[in-house]
Amino acid sequence: MADSDHVPDSHPRAASLRARQRLVNGVRAGLTSQHGLIAHGRGEAFDYLLGERTLPSAEEAATAAAGALLMADHPVLSVNGNVAALAPEATMQLAETVDAVVEVNLFHREQSRVAAIADHLREHGEQVVLGTGPDARLPGLEHDRALVHSDGIYAADVVVVPLEDGDRAAALGERGITRIVIDLNPLSRSAQEAEIPICDNLTRALPQINDAAVNFLETDAADLQHVVSSFDPDAARTAAEQAIRSGNLQSS
Ligand code: PTJ
């Protein structure tokens, strides 16, 4: 970070400014797409309306996500340029806890960016990181998010997809994959598609899923199944939408 990029602790928006700086640094380091800055701005607006806090419904979603990941045969965490800049540690920590494969999957795909993200993630953890040599395609998609690894997303039964495109979320659903979507906008097509929508900032949601998974490590399969099947995705989406629309930030 350049000296001019320093954010003083006393600034009332210090956390938000630091997140922006991580993304700007991500662009400079060849991890994040310039389009990612715009996408982040959209997310910031929703987060502001949510009071920049995790709703109880998002906490329930993160708990259900932890259960689904622990029960999965082949869980995969999909990573793009924003996730790599904002939460590489949390991504690799979650992958380790639930024993998931990590796969770099980009909308604005450039081989150099995929490789930079994969290297960056490997600096933060030991789990397998795929993405540089996709050998399969998700049917029905004409853009590069279709490019996947046959031993990664293509073979997955549960996928975590932060900042996803709605049509790929649909394509994953057609393969019978359980989709855990992290998106601050409950109305986004991917949040609408998800079996487990987490309407929260990915910087809060990923550690929260991890904490829930750590708590579940000794829990038996029947109890995990109960946690997952009692989660109501429509109720979670509605709670987030109502919180945003009402502006009654502390009561929802
Ligand atoms: O790295 P690439 O090439 O794969 O590109 C990634 C971006 C993010 C550019 C691409 O996926 C994209 O264009 O995303 P969208 O369609 O703009 O969607 C962004 C969604 O993520 C919006 O619904 C935002 O509200 C939401 N969002 C943005 N930042 C966050 C977020 N949700 C959770 N946490 C965030 N930090």
Side-chain angles (χ1 to χ4, degrees), residues 177-239:
I177 295 172
T178 297
R179 297 150 299 172
I180 299 167
V181 167
I182 306 172
D183 193 319
L184 281 155
N185 177 8
L187 300 176
S188 79
R189 285 175 307 149
S190 36
Q192 293 284 325
E193 285 273 341
E195 284 72 28
I196 304 182
I198 307 177
C199 302
D200 199 7
N201 198 308
L202 68 91
T203 58
R204 297 191 295 269
L206 288 168
Q208 193 138 36
I209 303 170
N210 185 67
D211 289 351
V214 169
N215 285 337
F216 279 151
L217 284 176
E218 306 297 323
T219 304
D220 64 36
D223 288 342
L224 287 180
Q225 180 60 52
H226 178 71
V227 168
V228 176
S229 54
S230 56
F231 173 72
D232 180 347
D234 288 325
R237 283 183 284 259
T238 301

